């Protein structure tokens, strides 16, 4: 999910899916094969979306969002 996209230079009002577009995420989510992700069996962390809400995701389920 990290190879394309990005919000650099974009206005928040131009984001078509603000509830599903990542604004900020815990760095461990970029490492789905890291065995020690936040003291859990699999990497997991918080994601802040463009609309302002925050949700908890695993490194595998976060790939369903827009990066």
């Amino acid at each position: 999910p990290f190879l394309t996209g990005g919000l650099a230079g974009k206005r928040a009002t131009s984001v078509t899916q603000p509830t599903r577009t990542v604004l900020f995420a815990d760095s461990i989510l970029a490492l789905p094969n890291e065995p020690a992700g936040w003291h859990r069996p699999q990497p997991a962390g918080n994601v802040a979306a463009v609309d302002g809400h925050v949700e908890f995701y695993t490194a595998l389920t976060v790939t369903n969002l827009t990066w």
Side-chain angles (χ1 to χ4, degrees), residues 6-66:
L7 295 173
K10 292 187 181 180
R11 294 182 182 269
T13 55
S14 72
V15 177
T16 57
Q17 293 185 318
T19 61
R20 300 193 42 77
T21 302
V22 176
L23 179 63
F24 176 84
D26 287 327
S27 62
I28 194 66
L29 292 172
L31 306 168
N33 296 320
E34 173 62 46
W38 287 73
H39 309 288
R40 296 181 155 278
Q42 60 183 355
N46 293 305
V47 172
V50 172
D51 73 345
H53 85 278
V54 176
E55 286 189 56
F56 185 80
Y57 287 91
T58 68
L60 298 177
T61 60
V62 78
T63 60
N64 296 326
L65 299 177
T66 302

